[in-house]
Amino acid sequence: MARVTWGLATSHVPSIGAAMDNHKTGDEYWKPLFDGYGPAREWMAQHKPDVAVIVYNDHANAIDLDMVPSFAVGTAATYDVADEGWGRRPVPPVVGAPELSEHLVRELIDAEFDITTCHRLDVDHGLTVPLSVYCREPGDAWPCAVVPVLVNVIQYPQPTAARCYRLGKALGQAIRSFPQDLNVAVFGTGGMSHQLAGARAGLINERFDRMFLEAIEHDPESLAALSREDYIREAGTEGIELIMWLVMRGAMSDKIARVHDTYHVPASNTAAALALFEDLGER
Ligand code: DHB
Ligand code: FE
């Protein structure tokens, strides 16, 4: 059977990808952020999954605002890297895991989550930057297959945090019921506090972020109990991306151990963080 082996929560800021693509990770601005990733990257390189289920949001690149599914799953054999207006990132195409995807879609629909199925999908920075955070130099191919799981966080009304946490629980069960012997990592992406436009543009809330970084391990229920308005007030209009971390946490068992975390301000307009957890539940 498949198992969830670890969970990675990470910001997905496009300029973090651009810093890697343009070999600027040693610059004064970027070095502290990338130094913070170091121990997590070493650990992940020693615990390579067969598949990464990456919970992310599209930013009106593959899915325009005419039709916005609350939850969607990619089922393709490969996903092209999206051109977000300045050319595609120079990273390999993303190889899918269609059998696992089809299984997850069926199991989630049977669990009463009405999933939209994406048979074709260009993946934007929300997915490719976390992949680069995991694997700095993929060469010609990423080291694992990927199942994209999309959450609408950009158009009101976003799904509630409680719904995302429950989706994660159903996702974890669905992964564990897949008959192939696979190691699966689950990524929750986005955050932490940030707001890109409007009167509060530039908002950072370190107090909220640090509370969230702690509670995602020990008390995810308290985070699931917050309303979308709580997220937007405390973490900013884009900080609500944090609800995707709850999908990752829900997919993991109750027995997890923190491997590493890091918190850094600023990365572009965000408070950037990474938190890596090993799942001890099935040993
Ligand atoms: C930035 C952050 C994001 O989460 C995003 O999707 C786009 C841009 C930023 O801070 O620049
Ligand atoms: Fe984003």
Side-chain angles (χ1 to χ4, degrees):
M1 300 297 259
R3 68 198 71 81
V4 176
T5 49
W6 48 264
L8 174 70
T10 175
S11 304
H12 64 213
V13 183
S15 55
I16 294 176
M20 289 185 259
D21 299 345
N22 296 304
H23 311 288
K24 290 185 185 297
T25 56
D27 286 10
E28 195 185 333
Y29 183 87
W30 289 110
K31 192 171 182 311
L33 174 84
F34 286 99
D35 283 353
Y37 289 168
R41 282 176 150 171
E42 278 169 32
W43 190 92
M44 292 186 288
Q46 287 163 7
H47 297 81
K48 285 191 180 149
D50 301 300
V51 183
V53 172
I54 303 187
V55 183
Y56 83 108
N57 68 291
D58 178 79
H59 300 73
N61 289 306
I63 299 174
D64 72 32
L65 295 178
D66 290 344
M67 279 183 247
V68 181
S70 296
F71 298 123
V73 172
T75 55
T78 58
Y79 304 91
D80 284 341
V81 174
D83 181 346
E84 303 184 38
W86 48 89
R88 298 176 198 279
R89 286 191 64 208
V91 293
V94 172
V95 172
E99 281 181 34
L100 177 59
S101 289
E102 299 285 359
H103 171 83
L104 296 181
V105 169
R106 188 176 57 249
E107 292 295 312
L108 289 174
I109 287 179
D110 285 354
E112 300 180 355
F113 288 90
D114 301 318
I115 300 295
T116 297
T117 306
C118 301
H119 301 295
R120 191 163 62 82
L121 176 70
D122 286 3
V123 288
D124 77 1
H125 67 269
L127 185 140
T128 66
V129 169
L131 264 182
S132 295
V133 169
Y134 160 49
C135 176
R136 165 77 187 88
E137 287 186 0
D140 292 339
W142 295 107
C144 59
V146 170
V147 173
V149 175
L150 296 100
V151 178
N152 164 42
V153 296
I154 66 172
Q155 180 172 280
Y156 182 88
Q158 298 90 343
T160 62
R163 184 87 175 134
C164 289
Y165 187 50
R166 285 202 299 274
L167 173 70
K169 296 245 179 218
L171 179 65
Q173 273 185 15
I175 292 168
R176 287 184 281 269
S177 71
F178 188 60
Q180 279 180 37
D181 183 25
L182 294 178
N183 288 331
V184 178
V186 182
F187 291 23
T189 76
M192 296 197 93
S193 57
H194 65 300
Q195 171 148 342
L196 300 180
R200 298 199 309 160
L203 174 142
I204 302 285
N205 183 349
E206 179 165 352
R207 182 194 49 77
F208 179 83
D209 290 339
R210 292 208 181 271
M211 178 281 292
F212 193 100
L213 261 177
E214 197 50 39
I216 193 75
E217 178 180 1
H218 297 297
D219 189 14
E221 285 81 9
S222 70
L223 304 177
L226 300 176
S227 69
R228 74 170 69 80
E229 290 75 16
D230 290 332
Y231 276 94
I232 290 171
R233 185 182 62 252
E234 297 297 324
T237 45
E238 279 71 33
I240 195 174
E241 289 176 344
L242 284 169
I243 61 175
M244 296 184 289
W245 291 29
L246 281 169
V247 183
M248 176 276 292
R249 182 65 185 90
M252 300 189 80
S253 76
D254 291 337
K255 263 177 76 184
I256 66 169
R258 187 176 300 243
V259 177
H260 179 66
D261 64 27
T262 186
Y263 180 78
H264 177 76
V265 179
S268 183
N269 296 301
T270 75
L274 170 154
L276 175 63
F277 301 100
E278 181 174 18
D279 200 319
L280 306 172
E282 294 173 54
R283 306 291 148 80

